[in-house]
Amino acid sequence: MTRIRPQYRISPEALALAVFAQPGSGARFDWGLTGAAELGRVCAALVVVDVLSFTTAVEVAVGRGMRVHPFPWGEQAADYARRVGAVAAVGRRQMTPEHPWSLSPAALRTAPVVADLVLPSPNGSAISAAASATGVPVVAACFRNAPAVGRWLRAEGYGSTDAPVGVVAAGERWPDGSLRPCVEDQLGAASVLDALSGVPGGLSVEAAMALAALASTPDVPAAVRGCVSGRELVERGFGQDVEVAAQVGVSDVVPVLRQGYFVAA
């Protein structure tokens, strides 16, 4: 007599979740808060890229010896800073000679060094703060330190299928709050992925396509200056921030999020 064996099936929902994590690759790529949450479930390390301007500001501040606390954009940042004994950064327009700490990388290059700086932003900082709950290392990357970030990840053993890296482009926001993918963060993430080329687990299709955008961009600084986000800052009078952010490979600082704040690895 033929025995009919029961059929076990993976639900479409579970299968979709597995696919969204880009399985089988050592370096993966996605966008925004939701993409970071998805990759954070399965990756051994996350890299957040918000070129204009959170992760560039983090690289500058950490390079000067500050501990940078990520925090979502909002009025609660000042209260949080008081609780942890830190200085809260303000919006670029709110800077004064007495309070020169803001999301401006150019301003942070000359502002007095403080031990702890709370640096809120609606994109990269919010993603970093949420990603810290995953318990995996979270690295802040930009054009300035992308090669150094890649070297550090490789040295730490990340990039295999058993210890994959998730690279997250923060993106910008439309007025309705929805994600606006942006040139500078795609190219910044691709710069990290370029430094990870050849990792044992290879690149996911998404990561490879992001990297292809970098390969077809002959002048990255010009692209950063000419993209929507870069032009917006220039027109608002913050062109120096764009110039600082567009510097490629000038820093060996690798900011890693530990115990709620970024410090140099």
Side-chain angles (χ1 to χ4, degrees):
M1 182 175 67
T2 302
R3 176 172 292 180
I4 299 175
R5 296 183 177 179
Q7 298 293 313
Y8 296 98
R9 289 187 173 184
I10 300 174
S11 71
E13 293 79 8
L15 183 60
L17 285 174
V19 170
F20 290 149
Q22 304 169 34
S25 54
R28 309 171 188 190
F29 170 75
D30 217 316
W31 283 95
L33 188 62
T34 303
E38 185 61 33
L39 294 184
R41 295 189 308 105
V42 294
C43 288
L46 289 177
V47 180
V48 177
V49 180
D50 184 357
V51 169
L52 296 173
S53 298
F54 174 72
T55 53
T56 301
V58 170
E59 182 277 325
V60 169
V62 168
R64 299 187 67 208
M66 302 186 219
R67 294 187 292 261
V68 178
H69 301 246
F71 198 84
W73 191 257
E75 296 178 357
Q76 295 83 5
D79 293 335
Y80 175 74
R82 282 191 289 270
R83 290 200 305 271
V84 299
V87 170
V90 296
R92 287 178 172 89
R93 296 289 188 193
Q94 284 72 51
M95 283 192 301
T96 65
E98 295 75 31
H99 199 102
W101 303 278
S102 79
L103 199 58
S104 164
L108 288 177
R109 295 179 80 180
T110 58
V113 172
V114 294
D116 291 271
L117 179 68
V118 174
L119 190 63
S121 87
N123 302 305
S125 192
I127 292 170
S128 298
S132 66
T134 65
V136 304
V138 179
V139 182
C142 57
F143 288 117
R144 296 170 57 85
N145 69 346
V149 168
R151 290 192 298 270
W152 182 83
L153 289 167
R154 286 171 173 271
E156 293 294 310
Y158 298 114
S160 67
T161 54
D162 292 330
V165 178
V167 181
V168 180
E172 295 291 347
R173 296 283 176 182
W174 288 109
D176 66 1
S178 60
L179 174 70
R180 176 174 70 80
C182 55
V183 168
E184 71 277 9
D185 288 351
Q186 181 173 2
L187 293 178
S191 296
V192 177
L193 293 166
D194 185 43
L196 292 172
S197 295
V199 292
L203 304 182
S204 69
V205 171
E206 288 75 10
M209 294 306 295
L211 185 55
L214 180 66
S216 63
T217 305
D219 189 338
V220 169
V224 177
R225 296 184 193 103
C227 71
V228 169
S229 303
R231 291 167 61 188
E232 179 188 19
L233 281 176
V234 170
E235 290 175 7
R236 289 171 55 199
F238 300 106
Q240 191 57 40
D241 285 343
V242 180
E243 294 305 314
V244 173
Q247 294 177 318
V248 179
V250 298
S251 171
D252 290 327
V253 176
V254 179
V256 180
L257 188 58
R258 295 186 174 128
Q259 299 179 322
Y261 48 78
F262 284 102
V263 294

